Structure formats: C-alpha cells, structure tokens
Amino acid sequence: MANLDEQWTKVRKILEEKIPSGSYNAWVLPLVPSELCDGKITLLTPHGFTAMTLKTSYGDVIAKALSEVFGENLNFEILQDEKLLEAYEKEQKKSKKSDRTQTENQFKESKYDGLKQMLSDCHLNTKYKFENFIVGGANKFAYGVSKGIAEGKSLGNPLFIYGGSGLGKTHLLHAIGYYAMTKRNKRVKYVTAEEFLNDLLEHLYLGGEKETFKKGAEKSKKMIKFRQKYRDVDYLLIDDIQFIAGKERTEEEMFNTFNTLYSAGKQIVITSDKPPAEIDHLSDRLKTRFEGGLLVDIGIPDLETRMAIVKQLVNTDGAIHLSLEVIEFLAQVYKNNIRELEKGFNNVNAYCSIFEKEPTLDVVKKAINYHDDKKQITVDVVIDEVAKFYGLMVDDIKGPSRLGKIAYARKVAVYITRELLGSSWQSIGDSLGGRKHTTIMVSHKSIEDEKRISSKLCDEINTLFNIINQL
C-alpha cells in the first residue's frame, strides 16, 4: 500500500500540471488510492459526482498519467467513500486558514504595497481567484485563456469575454487582476463601465470649475489625473462594457484610453453580456478595437460543475453540511446562473442556521420557496422544445434523417440535454433513436466548438435554456 501511495503521489504531480487548479483541487486532490488489482486501480473520493466528472472531462489525461507512472495501461475506477468526507472538510478549513496567512505575508512584501492598493485603488475582490473558480466544459476555454493572460502570455489584446449574467465573467476579471498583482507585481485597475462613466462625469465637472462640461475642462489637472488613473497601469480590467454604448463622451474617453494602453503594450481585459458586434449603439471604432483581440464566450455550467460549485460553498468556513442529494437538487434547480445558485445556497444556510434545522431535502425546498408542481424536465422535454424552436417534429430529431437543419437541431438537443441534465452519453443516445454514445459525444463537441465562433448559436442555446427552465 505504501508503494501505491507513492506511485499515486507521482500521478497527482503530473495531473496538477495538466488539469486547471480549480478542477484539480475540487476533484483530483481528494482522491485516495485503495487498491491495484488485475490492471485496474481503485480510487476513493468523498464526492459522489467526481467519477463522472473526471472520466468525462479528463479521462484521457488521467489514463496517460497512470501509464507514465506505472509503466502499463491501467483502467481506473472511482468509488465514493463517505468516511473520507469529514476528514477532507477539516483539512480544507485548515488549508484555507494557512492560505490567508500566506497571502497576507505576500501582500506585505509586495513593492506595490499590494493589499493597500487592492483595497483602495484596484477595487479587486480578493475572494475571486483562479484557485476557487470551478472549471467545466462551458468555461474551460475562458478559464485557460484568462490564466494565460494573467501569467503574461501574449494570447490576445484585448481579451474580450462575453456571456450571460452570473456565469463567472467578473470572477475571471478579478482573478486575472489578483494573480497579476500578487504573483507578478503588476499594476492593476479594475472598474465597471458604469463606474468609469461616473468617474468621468465627476472629473469633467470638477475640471470645469463648477461649470459642467465647460469647454477646455478636459485639459484641466483634474482630467489629467483621471486619465493617469486608468492609463498608468499594466492591466486594465473593464466589466460590463455594454453600459457605455451610445454615451459619446464616455466612448471617446474609452477609445483614447484603449489606444494609449494598447500602444504601450499593456493588457486590456473586457467583459460584456454579448460580443462587440451585437452591442447596440456602440461606435464602430470601438467595436473594431474590441474585435481586434481575442473573443471568448463563457457558457452555462453543466450539472457536474454546478454540483462542484455547491460543494465548494459547503466547504467555506461556517457553512452547513449538505448531503449529496441536496447538493444535486440545488444544482438542478439553479441551472443557468451561478449567482442565483450561490444565492440559493446562502438562503439555505441562513434558514437552517436561524431556525436550527437540519438541511433535509424538504427543509431546503422550504428555504428556497420551491414548489414541486413545476414541470419535470426530462430528455424528451428537451427534445420536444428543441423541435418546436426549430420548426421540426420530434420524430425528425429522433429519426435517421441527416438533412442539415434536422442534424443541426439534433446536435443542439444533445448539447442542451448533456449540459442541463447531466445525462450519460448512452442515455441521450437511447432517447435519440438508439444512437451510439460515441456519436452523441461527437455531436456535443461539435456544438461546443461552434459556440466559440458563432454568437448566433450561443443566443439560440441560451434562449432554449431559458425556455426549458421556465416550464
């Protein structure tokens, strides 16, 4: 057993380099080797949903690491062990306290006086880091690019991240800033577009010496100070850029700030609810600048990712313990918005603490005001809604036809079913006329890849998610 532990430690070191830190910490780190027999290694985990997540997202990576360390091709099996849960949670709390102490020391040693700058100038929220960003299929690319940008890699300038509300765009912005400042001693400025507008108006007013927008006010010392605030940085992080659309004076100032930073080789990262081309009333010259870098969309998290997010919330200091059944229930209820998922968890945590209740499924339903009369969403429900959305019959999607419109709708149905319900590849294939699981996997990847370059497809999928979730 000692030898097995040593070998598994080597495997973990390889996986730590290959798997994003959020996913590694959530799913790989808790794994404990149990036995090696007949060409198969058995791993134990406190998390019931780890097996499906790892095999789906990182199965090939794990298999390759095992082969490299053990010198032979091994199968692996992951089994849940409830006895590991209590020990794991204690270790997590201990680790978090240690991390906080280490972070404080790093700030004190930073030549930019990082803590003071972060709190009073950069406006970064220190709880948003790469380490606690849960990575799944819908945000894996956005995470990887953001981490690379924070490390100083030339992947695109500006980096433009777009997607619906509450999907993690702001988390990634803060994580980029936090990493660049604490790990690389870079000067960082985070601002929302609304704050940028308000700041501009205030400096224009002050610069005009009590006469708002007085001609020449922009040349005042106040405006010089305003521009220095946003231009004397290594990283400018702008959240919700769509807010400035149509505001000519603000757009002009943003355009000039953008050009100054870009010409100086400084990194700009922007978020929005939609890609630049689809932001109404945004000037063409800003659209051109924003599209000149790297556009990345961030999608709705799949079931396993949502469960991992709830699990992470459970592991925070002072949080209640939830059973796997309750974790999965919350992840099913809050399907397309991480912010709502966190809000639901906080409601449960507060309710159970105030009324001293055990968080059983019935208690949790009461805490979030959930009603069981809501329509049960199944694979057939998804297929039916997709068929109606594209003007087709259910039999068309389930049938053998390979006509372009039908095949396209079928792939969309596969993608939504997998992301929304977390159904297995084979069960989706069975529901679609008995198709092979490999065919279903290819269909899912096809849509996932196309979403990165087609805002039209992203809009269609988000619309379908909203339609289905409101049934």
Side-chain angles (χ1 to χ4, degrees):
M1 183 64 183
N3 185 54
L4 180 58
D5 288 336
E6 291 173 3
Q7 298 292 82
W8 176 245
T9 298
K10 295 178 182 178
V11 173
R12 281 202 317 193
K13 288 182 179 179
I14 296 174
L15 297 179
E16 189 173 9
E17 297 296 323
K18 303 294 184 181
I19 296 177
S21 58
S23 299
Y24 176 84
N25 292 334
W27 297 321
V28 177
L29 199 57
L31 293 177
V32 175
S34 175
E35 64 176 354
L36 176 62
C37 183
D38 297 329
K40 180 173 73 175
I41 183 172
T42 300
L43 306 169
L44 303 180
T45 175
H47 311 317
F49 49 90
T50 295
M52 181 167 57
T53 299
L54 285 176
K55 287 190 175 182
T56 300
S57 301
Y58 306 107
D60 292 341
V61 175
I62 296 173
K64 186 175 180 180
L66 288 170
S67 175
E68 182 176 336
V69 172
F70 287 90
E72 60 177 313
N73 293 327
L74 295 178
N75 293 320
F76 68 94
E77 178 183 30
I78 302 176
L79 301 177
Q80 184 182 16
D81 187 343
E82 293 292 345
K83 294 180 179 179
L84 290 176
L85 186 57
E86 183 178 353
Y88 174 70
E89 289 179 341
K90 288 181 179 178
E91 182 62 29
Q92 285 290 96
K93 290 180 180 180
K94 180 180 178 182
S95 176
K96 285 172 184 175
K97 291 179 181 178
S98 175
D99 287 345
R100 283 197 295 270
T101 301
Q102 183 179 358
T103 299
E104 289 172 1
N105 291 335
Q106 288 174 342
F107 280 131
K108 290 176 182 177
E109 295 171 0
S110 171
K111 67 179 181 180
Y112 290 115
D113 191 12
L115 181 58
K116 181 179 179 181
Q117 182 181 359
M118 181 174 289
L119 295 176
S120 64
D121 184 34
C122 291
H123 299 156
L124 291 173
N125 189 330
T126 58
K127 78 175 184 178
Y128 294 134
K129 306 172 187 176
F130 287 120
E131 288 80 2
N132 56 22
F133 185 89
I134 300 297
V135 182
N139 59 28
K140 190 174 183 179
F141 184 59
Y143 169 88
V145 170
S146 297
K147 185 71 179 298
I149 290 290
E151 292 170 345
K153 297 176 182 177
S154 299
L155 300 178
N157 197 16
L159 169 60
F160 194 102
I161 306 173
Y162 66 93
S165 176
L167 298 181
K169 303 187 301 295
T170 298
H171 188 140
L172 288 177
L173 268 190
H174 286 283
I176 290 170
Y178 183 88
Y179 186 98
M181 174 177 285
T182 60
K183 303 294 185 182
R184 303 178 57 230
N185 287 330
K186 296 298 181 179
R187 296 167 298 167
V188 176
K189 179 67 178 178
Y190 166 86
V191 65
T192 67
E194 182 178 9
E195 290 168 345
F196 184 86
L197 167 62
N198 292 335
D199 200 11
L200 173 62
L201 294 178
E202 181 180 353
H203 280 81
L204 283 172
Y205 177 79
L206 294 173
E209 296 177 358
K210 298 183 181 180
E211 184 179 339
T212 307
F213 307 148
K214 178 180 178 180
K215 186 176 181 180
E218 60 194 19
K219 297 180 181 179
S220 71
K221 292 182 180 180
K222 293 293 183 183
M223 281 305 298
I224 292 174
K225 184 177 181 181
F226 168 83
R227 287 169 179 155
Q228 286 177 336
K229 182 191 301 186
Y230 296 103
R231 300 180 188 183
D232 291 346
V233 296
D234 299 305
Y235 282 74
L236 178 60
L237 314 171
I238 310 168
D239 213 355
D240 291 327
I241 196 68
Q242 72 275 2
F243 188 84
I244 71 168
K247 300 173 177 64
E248 294 182 9
R249 186 65 182 82
T250 310
E251 286 196 16
E252 179 184 351
E253 197 62 44
M254 181 64 72
F255 178 80
N256 292 330
T257 296
F258 183 101
N259 285 344
T260 299
L261 290 171
Y262 185 85
S263 299
K266 306 304 183 182
Q267 182 68 51
I268 305 161
V269 187
I270 302 168
T271 71
S272 174
D273 59 353
K274 58 185 67 175
E278 297 178 15
I279 301 178
D280 295 333
H281 310 302
L282 185 68
S283 66
D284 289 338
R285 64 178 184 172
L286 273 180
K287 288 182 180 180
T288 301
R289 292 296 189 280
F290 295 163
E291 291 174 336
L294 179 62
L295 302 182
V296 177
D297 79 295
I298 186 167
I300 296 172
D302 56 28
L303 177 64
E304 291 92 342
T305 303
R306 298 195 302 272
M307 290 177 69
I309 291 169
V310 178
K311 185 63 181 174
Q312 185 182 72
L313 293 171
V314 168
N315 285 336
T316 57
D317 290 338
I320 56 175
H321 170 67
L322 300 180
S323 67
L324 182 60
E325 178 188 32
V326 170
I327 289 175
E328 184 171 0
F329 168 75
L330 289 173
Q332 289 281 14
V333 171
Y334 300 102
K335 295 182 176 70
N336 57 357
N337 189 305
I338 298 172
R339 196 171 294 125
E340 289 297 320
L341 179 60
E342 292 176 342
K343 180 181 177 182
F345 172 82
N346 290 335
N347 286 343
V348 171
N349 194 46
Y351 183 91
C352 293
S353 297
I354 292 172
F355 295 102
E356 299 182 349
K357 299 277 190 179
E358 286 295 321
T360 63
L361 187 57
D362 288 339
V363 169
V364 168
K365 288 180 179 179
K366 189 173 182 179
I368 64 173
N369 197 27
Y370 177 85
H371 301 288
D372 286 315
D373 56 356
K374 196 172 183 181
K375 185 174 181 179
Q376 179 68 28
I377 297 176
T378 63
V379 179
D380 288 334
V381 169
V382 172
I383 295 172
D384 183 55
E385 293 300 325
V386 171
K388 286 190 289 187
F389 185 83
Y390 290 108
L392 301 170
M393 302 294 292
V394 170
D395 288 343
D396 292 332
I397 294 181
K398 290 187 174 183
S401 175
R402 295 186 179 180
L403 289 175
K405 183 177 181 180
I406 295 175
Y408 178 83
R410 186 182 296 129
K411 288 192 291 185
V412 169
V414 168
Y415 182 85
I416 291 179
T417 300
R418 177 68 177 179
E419 300 299 311
L420 193 62
L421 304 181
S423 304
S424 68
W425 303 118
Q426 191 56 61
S427 67
I428 299 174
D430 293 341
S431 299
L432 286 169
R435 286 176 164 79
K436 294 180 179 179
H437 77 280
T438 51
T439 302
I440 300 302
M441 292 173 68
V442 169
S443 296
H444 181 275
K445 189 175 189 308
S446 172
I447 293 296
E448 195 172 57
D449 291 342
E450 190 173 346
K451 278 182 66 211
R452 294 175 181 169
I453 58 175
S454 173
S455 59
K456 178 177 178 292
L457 175 59
C458 289
D459 288 341
E460 289 176 358
I461 288 176
N462 286 334
T463 299
L464 279 164
F465 267 119
N466 290 329
I467 290 173
I468 295 168
N469 284 332
Q470 292 172 11
L471 293 176

